[in-house]
Amino acid sequence: MPQLSHRRRLLVLAICCMSLLIVSLDNTVLNVALPSMQKDLDTTLSGMQWTIDAYTLVLASLLMLAGSTADRLGRRRVFQAGLVVFALGSLLCSLAPNLECLVAFRMVQAVGGSMLNPVAMSIITNTFTDPKERARAIGVWGGVVGISMAAGPIVGGLLVQSVDWRAIFWINVPIGALALFLTVRYVPESRAPHPRRVDPVGQLLVIALLGTLTYAIIEAPSAGWTSPLILGFAATAVAALAGLLWYERRRAEPLIDLRFFRSAPFSGATVVAVCAFAALGGFLFVNTLYLQDVRGLSALDAGLYMLPMAGMTLVFAPLSGRLVGAVGARLPLLLAGLAMVASGVLFAAFEAEASTPLLFTGYVLFGIGFGLVNAPITNTAFVEASRPAWWIIAGCGAAVLLLGALTTGHWARETARRTAERLESAQDEPDGQAPPGGPGGQPKARIRA
């Protein structure tokens, strides 16, 4: 990538942040519109879950494929394709006549979304080569998530209340078009010097694992956790996971290099990230349904109710970044875990939903801790029925607390150092002469940078 001026680099960052904004805003806006969508499309709660989870499933399944394809074909090219597909999927969602079409069009959106955020991050890291500039750029990138959380519920509420739930998808089209124009004009093309080869078997195993596991989790409450259907999907997920672990260890250029998981900080960060973003989706899903279906609030009022959570996330995201830079990741993770536990216990043990001050306190703690909840409940017995979900939040908060303590200390740093030494040793070996130690006594493959 050619050296760019400071102003041009900032413009590239702004363009990449636009893609993150439309993807993040789409999720937060959608949750506010769920009750209106459910009534208009005359569907069940599990059906509404699929409008969110089908998107997440496709997105997660294709992220690594999109990233490796961008390394080979060009990051700008794949980024442009992602903008087009995401905008097209959004337009189709706004025209969906029924739930089945809406879920299918959300999957189209997800295909585009998989080509946006990971590729945009690669563009940013290749544009900002100075470590300090790169850290600031990534901090700005993370702040966009807070902006989308703060703006999403209000924007969604305004659109649903003044126009229709279909209007929430319209906003992606002009923003996507503007980002596409600016990308063509200002973002330079870049590729990885040694891109990895395609791993079709690994990709299919990832899709099978995520697809069957997601279906089992969503449908288990209605079909029964011990029903043959759910047990069959769960068994398929386990088989896909076992196949993925077996196959990827033997591949020269794997889709997932399992050796990275020998590093405790890497493994801990991965688990915490999964919990945190699953928590956000679950929180928005449950609370928008509760505020509108149980408390009877309008879509706009429900969005305003969630502002304390969004505002705290917006404030604490940059503070967390500064703490990491000053004292490391341990303190922010421990504080986040404590906030998550407190939020979960407040709802689970003290029925925070029944009191507006306690409700807002729980939202503030949730915004600070970015906790987890994903319960398919929306009825007049919500406070009692949702208590297990809030215990899940407390449990996930405790997990983040323990992982933060375990994976940021001396032992964890040593595992990261040893893992880095092994990877560097593998890189230094000539092709076909990697050091032994792979499965079955076979030499490990050389890892390309």
Side-chain angles (χ1 to χ4, degrees):
M1 177 180 286
Q3 185 64 33
L4 304 177
S5 67
H6 178 69
R7 182 177 179 182
R8 180 77 172 271
R9 292 197 299 273
L10 291 180
L11 184 56
V12 171
L13 174 62
I15 295 168
C16 291
C17 286
M18 288 177 67
S19 72
L20 177 62
L21 179 63
I22 60 174
V23 172
S24 301
L25 196 64
D26 181 79
N27 288 327
T28 53
V29 166
L30 175 67
N31 278 276
V32 176
L34 285 176
S36 298
M37 295 166 65
Q38 183 178 5
K39 294 174 184 176
D40 188 41
L41 298 176
D42 190 24
T43 186
T44 62
L45 185 62
S46 64
M48 298 316 300
Q49 278 186 277
W50 274 112
T51 64
I52 296 173
D53 293 327
Y55 176 93
T56 304
L57 168 62
V58 174
L59 185 74
S61 300
L62 299 180
L63 280 176
M64 287 179 285
L65 177 62
S68 61
T69 301
D71 287 343
R72 287 191 303 273
L73 301 183
R75 298 184 178 105
R76 183 179 71 173
R77 181 179 300 176
V78 173
F79 186 70
Q80 289 172 303
L83 288 169
V84 172
V85 174
F86 189 85
L88 176 62
S90 299
L91 181 61
L92 291 173
C93 286
S94 71
L95 303 174
N98 51 50
L99 176 66
E100 292 75 16
C101 288
L102 179 60
V103 171
F105 296 151
R106 285 280 291 166
M107 295 172 76
V108 174
Q109 261 191 315
V111 173
S114 70
M115 294 185 275
L116 292 180
N117 290 354
V119 180
M121 179 58 74
S122 295
I123 292 173
I124 290 174
T125 55
N126 279 272
T127 300
F128 294 87
T129 54
D130 178 75
K132 291 185 179 179
E133 275 199 345
R134 179 181 295 174
R136 286 194 292 267
I138 294 175
V140 172
W141 168 269
V144 172
V145 176
I147 293 173
S148 69
M149 288 180 61
I154 298 178
V155 172
L158 281 171
L159 291 174
V160 171
Q161 194 162 311
S162 60
V163 186
D164 185 63
W165 65 263
R166 298 177 186 274
I168 66 173
F169 296 107
W170 297 345
I171 59 177
N172 297 329
V173 179
I175 298 177
L178 176 60
L180 179 63
F181 170 77
L182 294 175
T183 300
V184 173
R185 189 172 180 85
Y186 296 109
V187 177
E189 186 60 279
S190 64
R191 294 177 176 84
H194 302 290
R196 293 192 178 192
R197 291 176 293 180
V198 178
D199 182 6
V201 175
Q203 186 64 56
L204 288 174
L205 287 170
V206 168
I207 294 173
L209 168 62
L210 294 176
T212 53
L213 182 62
T214 301
Y215 184 90
I217 292 174
I218 293 177
E219 297 299 328
S222 58
W225 287 98
T226 58
S227 68
L229 177 67
I230 300 304
L231 292 177
F233 274 93
T236 304
V238 172
L241 176 60
L244 183 68
L245 296 176
W246 179 87
Y247 178 78
E248 292 298 290
R249 292 179 62 197
R250 287 160 173 77
R251 183 171 169 80
E253 294 182 347
L255 182 70
I256 304 173
D257 195 330
L258 300 177
R259 287 178 294 175
F260 284 111
F261 290 94
R262 295 174 180 172
S263 168
F266 178 86
S267 299
T270 301
V271 175
V272 169
V274 169
C275 290
F277 283 97
L280 173 62
F283 173 88
L284 293 174
F285 184 84
V286 170
N287 279 278
T288 52
L289 291 174
Y290 165 73
L291 291 172
Q292 294 183 61
D293 289 353
V294 178
R295 286 210 168 193
L297 300 179
S298 67
L300 177 58
D301 288 339
L304 292 172
Y305 257 62
M306 286 189 291
L307 268 182
M309 179 274 296
M312 289 299 100
T313 301
L314 184 61
V315 169
F316 277 85
L319 287 179
S320 177
R322 293 180 182 179
L323 278 174
V324 170
V327 300
R330 189 180 185 88
L331 180 60
L333 279 176
L334 297 181
L335 292 176
L338 288 172
M340 287 183 255
V341 171
S343 178
V345 171
L346 190 64
F347 282 95
F350 297 97
E351 299 184 3
E353 300 98 325
S355 167
T356 298
L358 283 180
L359 182 75
F360 285 145
T361 302
Y363 285 180
V364 167
L365 290 171
F366 190 95
I368 295 173
F370 216 62
L372 173 64
V373 61
N374 191 18
I377 301 166
T378 172
N379 53 51
T380 54
F382 191 98
V383 173
E384 182 64 30
S386 64
R387 192 166 296 165
W390 292 110
W391 280 121
I392 292 174
I393 292 180
C396 287
V400 172
L401 183 63
L402 293 175
L403 282 170
L406 182 64
T407 63
T408 56
H410 176 73
W411 168 80
R413 289 193 295 271
E414 282 299 303
T415 66
R417 181 186 60 78
R418 291 194 296 268
T419 300
E421 289 177 352
R422 292 191 187 101
L423 293 173
E424 289 173 358
S425 175
Q427 285 182 314
D428 291 339
E429 292 292 327
D431 286 340
Q433 301 294 324
Q442 297 297 319
K444 286 187 178 181
R446 180 174 184 258
I447 302 299
R448 299 182 184 272

